[in-house]
């Protein structure tokens, strides 16, 4: 099955004096469907340079506007050199100037007579040059509803200063969603962690839960861009002023709050601050019975939307809630443990809390969805082979119960899709659930992220890239999002793009599991074996680090080292790594051994099999009729 065409991302390099003509070109390229990234009208400094560097490294093509001014610019020459080294350079001349020495071997497109039309012959020539740089066929003109002007400040602010967001083309998505463009700054908001003023750290689950519920209520509004929890929480302990924090997060508004509990009465204070001026736009202090919190969350969301002059999509309460105080408290404790993802003990306590919530209110749909997710997680992480089918069967049943109680609950559809996809290897059966989860939960970065992962594993490459762009825009400071984006690029065989995304994830969290191995996978596919070996050796998860070394040493001609790594994988990880053992055998070209291991993985329900359709390590045996039959029996498409 062939992959769907992807949207090229272009980096525009120009001199400051040529800003007006550069802006016109950016608008023309955007109107033809390109994602255009260029430096914002922001102050210089390390963060500015870092953003530009990361954007430059991630772009599919580097367009350089040569002119009398730009040939004297060290910045432009450096950016052009980067494009040249990556073989992605597209040189243009604004005024007939010849490029400086070192760049004259490239054919330059003359824009001296161009008057700004998006369908002019010069733009057609740029189309062809970009396609050549990307190794693609030239594309027809793209229809677009984009505004003819691009506000560079807002485009870069949307990325929260994280230049690697550029790598996934988040800018174009933001335009299409209405997050960038006229009046878009009024639509970006971060909900900061509400403070727990109860004097009891054990009550933090309540303030954290209220924060998440208000964020979710706001995210239901399609006209708002609500920063996800991981990115918002990066400033939890910072003492900066509102302007500094808003600038760091890349949003126009901040919603802050505090929670204090006295018995069953909850006192909540909220404040909406304009991050550009630092002034409060609206504040509210109320007392509510704990059982009325769900209604209160919707009230806050409506009031904030009104303060931003953004109409709420619906006044209906969020689906799936409860009015039972004990059920709600147990649910919040369970969700806090789920988000912690610390170890088996905390996950099993999470399960107990969700079960306590359902004992108090059997019709609490969110608790059914939460229980489904934790059952599937316990199955994939800790369960023995004998426990797998009962756990995944229970996960499916809980998810179905959640959907029956709340048919539009995104978390319920996501839970059902995940249980069927990762737990029962029912890729086809999971698709309707993932599609509905995405439909109802497009403002939730976690739901969008998991939809993207599912899409790429079922070879829906276009949908995967679109969804991961959205996740990156919603959660630009979350290493999990960048890790998933890197995995999607790897599965799509876009190894150079994947490296930039994985490196960004490592900057955000150098200790995250499987990141070094994923970096090694991409470096290895590009033939950079020494760098790949160093990455694999840094991987703390033995399953992935040893698998990578076994494949790499074989490719490097070190048969003895390859065998030692494989033997260590079998000895130290055992049957928990049947899929990874099959990867090694396939990469070594040993089809018989690979297929035998895949059969064993299928028998125990190894969730690694969900990677099979897009795993480059199986390319050496991909045409073997026995492998083709195995894939067809799994019915992964």
């Amino acid at each position: 099955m062939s992959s769907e065409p992807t949207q090229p991302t272009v980096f525009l390099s120009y001199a400051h004096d040529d800003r007006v003509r550069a802006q016109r070109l950016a608008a023309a390229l955007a109107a033809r469907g390109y994602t255009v990234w260029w430096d914002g009208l922001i102050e210089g400094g390390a963060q500015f340079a870092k953003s530009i560097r990361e954007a430059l490294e991630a772009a599919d093509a580097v367009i350089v506007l040569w002119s009398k001014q730009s040939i004297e610019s060290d910045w432009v020459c450096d950016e052009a050199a980067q494009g040249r080294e990556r073989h992605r350079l597209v040189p243009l001349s604004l005024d007939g100037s010849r490029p400086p020495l070192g760049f004259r071997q490239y054919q330059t497109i003359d824009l001296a007579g161009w008057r700004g039309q998006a369908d002019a012959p010069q733009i057609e020539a740029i189309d062809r040059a970009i396609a050549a740089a990307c190794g693609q066929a030239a594309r027809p003109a793209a229809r677009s509803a984009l505004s003819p002007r691009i506000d560079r400040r807002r485009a870069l602010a949307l990325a929260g200063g994280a230049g690697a967001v550029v790598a996934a083309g988040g800018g174009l998505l933001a335009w299409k969603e209405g997050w960038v463009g006229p009046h878009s700054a009024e639509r970006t908001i971060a909900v900061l962690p509400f403070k727990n003023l109860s004097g009891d750290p054990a009550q933090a689950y309540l303030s954290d839960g209220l924060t998440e519920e208000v964020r979710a209520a706001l995210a239901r509004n399609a006209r708002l861009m609500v920063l996800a929890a991981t990115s918002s929480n990066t400033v939890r302990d910072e003492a900066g002023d509102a302007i500094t924090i808003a600038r760091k997060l890349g949003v126009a508004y901040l919603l802050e709050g505090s929670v204090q509990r006295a018995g069953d009465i909850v006192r909540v204070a909220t404040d909406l601050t304009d991050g550009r001026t630092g002034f409060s736009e609206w504040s509210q202090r109320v007392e509510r019975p704990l059982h009325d919190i769900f209604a209160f969350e919707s009230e806050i969301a409506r009031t904030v939307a009104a303060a931003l002059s953004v109409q709420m999509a619906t006044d209906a309460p969020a689906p799936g809630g409860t009015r039972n105080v004990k059920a709600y408290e147990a649910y919040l404790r369970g969700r806090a443990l789920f988000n912690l993802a610390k170890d088996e003990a905390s996950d099993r306590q999470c399960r107990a809390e969700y079960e306590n919530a359902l004992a108090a209110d059997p019709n609490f749909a969110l608790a059914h969805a939460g229980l489904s997710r934790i059952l599937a997680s316990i199955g994939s992480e800790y369960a023995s082979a004998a426990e797998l089918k009962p756990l995944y069967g229970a996960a499916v049943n809980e998810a179905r119960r959640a959907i029956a109680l709340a048919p539009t609950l995104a978390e319920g559809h996501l839970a059902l899709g995940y249980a069927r996809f990762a737990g029962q290897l029912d890729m086809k059966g999971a698709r309707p659930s993932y599609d509905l989860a995405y439909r109802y939960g497009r403002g939730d970065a976690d739901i969008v992220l998991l939809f993207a992962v599912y899409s790429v594993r079922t070879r829906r490459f276009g949908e995967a890239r679109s969804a991961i762009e959205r996740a990156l825009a919603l959660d630009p400071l979350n290493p999990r999002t960048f890790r998933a984006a890197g995995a999607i690029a790897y599965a799509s065989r876009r190894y150079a793009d994947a490296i930039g995304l994985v490196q960004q994830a490592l900057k955000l969290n150098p200790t995250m599991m499987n990141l070094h191995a994923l970096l090694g996978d991409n470096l290895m596919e590009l033939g950079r074996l020494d760098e790949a070996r160093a990455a694999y050796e840094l991987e703390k998860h033995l399953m992935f680090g040893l698998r990578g070394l076994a494949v790499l040493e074989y490719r490097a001609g070190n048969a003895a080292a390859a065998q030692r790594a494989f033997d260590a994988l079998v000895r130290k990880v055992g049957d928990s790594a049947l899929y990874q053992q099959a990867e090694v055998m396939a990469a070594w070209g040993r089809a018989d051994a690979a297929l035998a291991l895949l059969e064993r993985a299928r028998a125990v329900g190894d969730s690694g099999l969900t990677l099979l359709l897009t795993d480059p390590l199986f390319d050496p045996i991909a045409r073997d009729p026995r492998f083709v039959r195995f894939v067809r029996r799994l019915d992964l498409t």
Side-chain angles (χ1 to χ4, degrees):
M1 186 184 298
S2 62
S3 63
E4 300 179 27
T6 56
Q7 198 74 257
T9 299
V10 298
F11 180 95
L12 199 59
S13 177
Y14 66 100
H16 179 76
D17 290 342
D18 299 323
R19 179 181 59 191
V20 174
R21 296 198 68 186
Q23 185 176 11
R24 290 168 63 194
L25 177 62
L29 292 173
R32 294 179 73 85
Y34 293 105
T35 304
V36 185
W37 285 92
W38 52 345
D39 61 286
L41 297 175
I42 57 178
E43 295 81 2
Q47 185 62 38
F48 175 80
K50 175 176 177 287
S51 296
I52 295 302
R53 182 182 68 252
E54 291 172 346
L56 184 61
E57 291 172 351
D60 295 314
V62 178
I63 298 179
V64 178
L65 304 184
W66 294 119
S67 68
K68 292 179 181 178
Q69 293 77 27
S70 66
I71 61 177
E72 302 296 332
S73 167
D74 291 339
W75 277 93
V76 174
C77 290
D78 284 348
E79 291 165 355
Q82 176 81 341
R84 178 186 61 193
E85 291 167 7
R86 294 181 57 225
H87 305 289
R88 298 298 177 99
L89 182 64
V90 177
L92 316 180
S93 177
L94 291 176
D95 56 9
S97 297
R98 295 183 67 194
L101 290 175
F103 300 97
R104 293 179 182 175
Q105 69 271 38
Y106 294 88
Q107 182 176 355
T108 303
I109 299 170
D110 186 2
L111 286 188
W114 181 61
R115 296 294 179 265
Q117 306 93 327
D119 58 351
Q122 294 94 332
I123 304 300
E124 299 281 353
I126 295 173
D127 267 343
R128 293 190 293 271
I130 293 174
C134 298
Q136 300 175 353
R139 305 174 311 122
R143 295 178 61 86
S144 175
L146 301 181
S147 165
R149 295 180 60 84
I150 297 178
D151 187 327
R152 301 187 297 166
R153 184 191 304 271
R154 289 175 182 171
L156 207 61
L158 178 65
V165 174
V166 174
L172 179 63
L173 172 73
W175 276 98
K176 289 182 176 179
E177 296 294 337
W179 293 342
V180 179
H183 311 300
S184 65
E186 290 79 5
R187 300 174 185 170
T188 56
I189 185 170
V191 181
L192 304 184
F194 284 18
K195 294 180 175 63
N196 171 27
L197 302 183
S198 300
D200 179 5
Q203 294 292 319
Y205 72 87
L206 184 59
S207 54
D208 290 345
L210 185 57
T211 305
E212 289 194 40
E213 295 299 337
V214 170
R215 184 182 292 116
L218 285 168
R220 293 171 61 213
N221 188 332
R223 298 187 65 201
L224 280 174
M225 178 185 172
V226 183
L227 203 66
T230 303
S231 293
S232 298
N233 291 351
T234 59
V235 298
R236 178 189 291 268
D237 299 319
E238 292 191 8
D241 59 89
I243 296 175
T244 301
I245 292 174
R247 183 181 294 125
K248 176 179 178 178
L249 296 178
V251 297
Y253 286 89
L254 303 174
L255 182 65
E256 302 174 88
S258 62
V259 180
Q260 187 172 16
R261 179 178 178 179
D264 285 339
I265 299 298
V266 180
R267 300 183 180 92
V268 182
T270 47
D271 188 81
L272 179 69
T273 303
D274 188 328
R276 297 159 297 186
T277 66
F279 291 112
S280 176
E281 294 287 319
W282 160 84
S283 63
Q284 178 175 270
R285 286 165 176 76
V286 297
E287 291 186 359
R288 284 286 195 283
L290 186 58
H291 68 76
D292 201 29
I293 284 293
F294 275 110
F296 179 49
E297 291 150 2
S298 297
E299 178 185 329
I300 294 175
R302 285 195 300 272
T303 309
V304 170
L308 299 180
S309 299
V310 177
Q311 183 178 359
M312 288 295 289
T314 176
D315 285 334
T322 184
R323 298 184 67 84
N324 184 294
V325 174
K326 290 184 178 179
Y328 184 60
E329 288 191 283
Y331 168 75
L332 291 181
R333 287 192 294 267
R335 186 167 64 179
L337 289 165
F338 182 85
N339 291 337
L340 183 63
K342 181 182 178 181
D343 52 28
E344 182 176 1
S346 67
D347 280 357
R348 293 193 182 278
Q349 181 59 37
C350 168
R351 173 182 179 175
E353 292 292 356
Y354 283 141
E355 289 173 341
N356 289 339
L358 291 169
D361 182 358
N363 294 322
F364 191 179
L366 276 167
H368 283 288
L371 180 56
S372 173
R373 286 289 302 277
I374 195 61
L375 288 169
S377 295
I378 291 172
S380 65
E381 295 288 338
Y382 314 113
S384 65
E387 292 179 295
L388 289 178
K389 289 185 179 179
L391 279 170
Y392 288 129
V396 168
N397 291 337
E398 292 296 335
R400 285 176 172 161
R401 177 61 176 157
I403 295 168
L405 290 166
T408 62
L409 181 64
E411 290 87 345
H413 292 287
L414 180 68
L416 180 57
Y418 183 78
R420 300 187 72 173
F421 166 58
Q424 299 181 332
L425 302 179
D426 184 1
M427 308 282 272
K428 184 180 293 185
R431 176 168 181 169
S433 298
Y434 273 98
D435 288 345
L436 286 170
Y438 191 51
R439 174 183 174 186
Y440 297 129
R442 287 171 59 86
D444 186 317
D446 186 54
I447 289 173
V448 173
L449 176 65
L450 291 175
F451 174 82
V453 171
Y454 168 78
S455 295
V456 78
R457 291 186 183 178
T458 52
R459 298 185 63 86
R460 297 161 65 183
F461 293 104
E463 290 172 86
R465 185 164 183 177
S466 175
I468 200 63
E469 288 168 0
R470 185 179 183 90
L472 285 164
L474 287 168
D475 208 0
L477 300 178
N478 189 345
R480 287 179 57 249
T481 311
F482 282 98
R483 182 177 63 180
I488 288 170
Y490 173 69
S492 305
R493 278 40 174 194
R494 295 187 292 109
Y495 304 121
D497 291 343
I499 288 171
L501 290 160
V502 176
Q503 287 174 335
Q504 180 65 16
L506 282 167
K507 290 176 185 176
L508 293 167
N509 185 356
T511 65
M512 178 171 280
M513 289 292 186
N514 198 28
L515 273 179
H516 289 288
L518 182 55
L519 178 61
D521 291 343
N522 287 281
L523 290 166
M524 180 171 64
E525 294 299 336
L526 292 177
R528 295 159 62 177
L529 300 187
D530 290 340
E531 296 172 79
R533 183 182 291 108
Y536 287 134
E537 289 173 348
L538 289 171
E539 178 57 56
K540 295 181 179 179
H541 200 310
L542 290 178
M543 180 186 297
F544 300 106
L546 290 172
R547 183 270 288 154
L549 286 171
V551 176
L552 179 141
E553 297 299 355
Y554 177 85
R555 292 189 182 181
N558 304 323
Q563 189 65 51
R564 284 195 299 272
F566 180 76
D567 291 343
L569 176 65
V570 174
R571 183 176 66 256
K572 295 182 178 181
V573 187
D575 284 357
S576 296
L578 289 172
Y579 179 81
Q580 286 70 29
Q581 295 171 36
E583 285 182 302
V584 175
M585 291 295 101
W588 289 6
R590 300 183 185 178
D592 291 347
L595 288 163
L597 286 162
L598 287 175
E599 290 289 359
R600 290 176 60 193
R602 181 170 178 265
V604 302
D606 191 324
S607 61
L609 291 169
T610 60
L611 300 167
L612 194 58
L613 274 182
T614 56
D615 191 337
L617 296 182
F618 284 95
D619 287 353
I621 67 168
R623 296 182 182 276
D624 189 306
R626 296 169 298 169
F627 179 78
V628 173
R629 286 196 295 272
F630 179 83
V631 172
R632 286 176 178 168
R633 288 206 318 275
L634 281 182
D635 199 15
L636 298 175
T637 56

